[in-house]
Amino acid sequence: MTHLLEIEDLHVNYGHIQALKGISLHVDEREVVAILGANGAGKTTLMRTLSGLITPRSGKITFAGHDTTRMGADRIVRLGIGQSPEGRRVFGTLSVAENLRMGGFTRPPAEITESCDHVYTIFPRLYERRAQLAGTLSGGEQQMLAIGRALVTKPKLLLLDEPSLGLAPIIVRNIFQVLRDVRDTGVTVLIVEQNARMALKLADRGYVLEVGRLSHEGPARELLASPEIQAAYLGH
Ligand SMILES: Nc1ncnc2c1ncn2[C@@H]1O[C@H](COP(=O)(O)OP(=O)(O)O)[C@@H](O)[C@H]1O
Ligand SMILES: [Mg+2]
């Protein structure tokens, strides 16, 4: 079986800093895959490279049968990769509705309206706040907006970079419940998280990234049960 996403021996540098030192992994259709790792491990670099925002030094990325290794970001969105970036990055001076419509820039206007309505059913809170400036939303609401904006592109693969960062536990649980619902609609998910426990409970499989290299991989329940992973990432 061919994978939805396949990454082969990916190397990414910032000048002479080697952020990714030969990463190989795959994600199958309808899977949820978690990437765990400490601060500075290279998680965001991986996500930004998959989205076409960073060009790798070497290696190969194949998505849905296309070589996307050096493809531009907007073509990658059109192929079906949507990203909710670290730190949310909503447009603070635009309304919730305007932020969502901007997410749909690759699609015809009529379809954008339909997609926004779909996002409002997933996040009723965003519908209530649709006219409000995004900069005035709470952190949790901004995270919902960032995820919603990625969903407006109707992605086959949703990339989530630290959706729980800086949010209260109750909000985190709420967001993870929504991610379960999104997964149940058939969207494949690649999630990067420092909250390893929440991510592994959602995921089918996981990989652990340690300063630019993968150190562990396996079914999520095996990683959850591993004493080594527990000691390093699960606060045991
Ligand atoms: N724009 C950048 N310029 C130079 N170095 C960077 C840049 N972004 C990240 N790095 C470095 O690359 C490494 C990986 O960072 P990052 O991908 O942000 O890790 P993570 O998301 O796992 O915290 C770190 O050493 C970081 O300092
Ligand atoms: Mg990061």
Side-chain angles (χ1 to χ4, degrees):
M1 162 183 184
T2 58
H3 304 300
L4 178 63
L5 175 72
E6 180 153 26
I7 301 173
E8 297 164 81
D9 200 23
L10 190 69
H11 288 74
V12 176
N13 287 12
Y14 297 104
H16 57 264
I17 298 172
Q18 292 180 274
L20 296 179
K21 306 170 191 174
I23 302 288
S24 298
L25 60 82
H26 67 270
V27 179
D28 287 326
E29 214 158 309
R30 289 180 164 262
E31 265 192 317
V32 176
V33 173
I35 312 264
L36 314 179
N39 218 347
K43 304 181 300 297
T44 295
T45 302
L46 176 62
M47 294 305 227
R48 291 176 59 81
T49 306
L50 292 176
S51 290
L53 300 169
I54 297 176
T55 304
R57 186 170 65 93
S58 62
K60 187 174 180 195
I61 303 170
T62 309
F63 175 71
H66 300 265
D67 182 344
T68 63
T69 316
R70 285 176 173 76
M71 207 180 263
D74 66 327
R75 276 186 72 199
I76 291 178
V77 171
R78 278 172 227 271
L79 276 182
I81 298 184
Q83 177 167 193
S84 168
E86 183 179 60
R88 336 206 208 280
R89 306 203 174 216
V90 297
F91 300 103
T93 58
L94 298 182
S95 70
V96 166
E98 287 165 338
N99 268 274
L100 284 183
R101 292 194 71 84
M102 286 191 71
F105 74 98
T106 57
R107 313 194 41 233
E111 288 180 24
I112 300 178
T113 302
E114 191 189 302
S115 281
C116 290
D117 289 344
H118 175 63
V119 169
Y120 289 139
T121 64
I122 298 172
F123 293 113
R125 188 61 164 259
L126 293 181
Y127 183 71
E128 289 164 23
R129 312 238 152 172
R130 63 194 179 281
Q132 197 171 317
L133 295 186
T136 66
L137 298 176
S138 71
E141 290 163 348
Q142 289 191 10
Q143 185 59 59
M144 292 172 195
L145 182 55
I147 296 170
R149 195 177 53 186
L151 288 174
V152 168
T153 67
K154 286 244 172 125
K156 289 192 195 80
L157 174 65
L158 176 63
L159 305 180
L160 298 162
D161 193 346
E162 305 266 14
S164 78
L165 197 69
L167 302 180
I170 185 167
I171 310 289
V172 174
R173 279 198 294 278
N174 179 233
I175 283 174
F176 272 78
Q177 185 51 54
V178 169
L179 294 178
R180 280 191 180 84
D181 296 343
V182 168
R183 182 257 329 260
D184 291 345
T185 67
V187 179
T188 304
V189 177
L190 182 61
I191 179 170
V192 152
E193 261 292 347
Q194 287 193 52
N195 190 334
R197 187 180 305 280
M198 291 295 285
L200 287 176
K201 282 185 178 164
L202 174 72
D204 301 297
R205 287 189 304 115
Y207 294 88
V208 180
L209 193 53
E210 277 178 20
V211 282
R213 287 198 175 85
L214 292 175
S215 60
H216 299 79
E217 63 179 273
R221 63 178 179 283
E222 283 178 19
L223 294 174
L224 271 171
S226 151
E228 203 181 337
I229 300 296
Q230 287 179 0
Y233 299 100
L234 297 172
H236 279 263

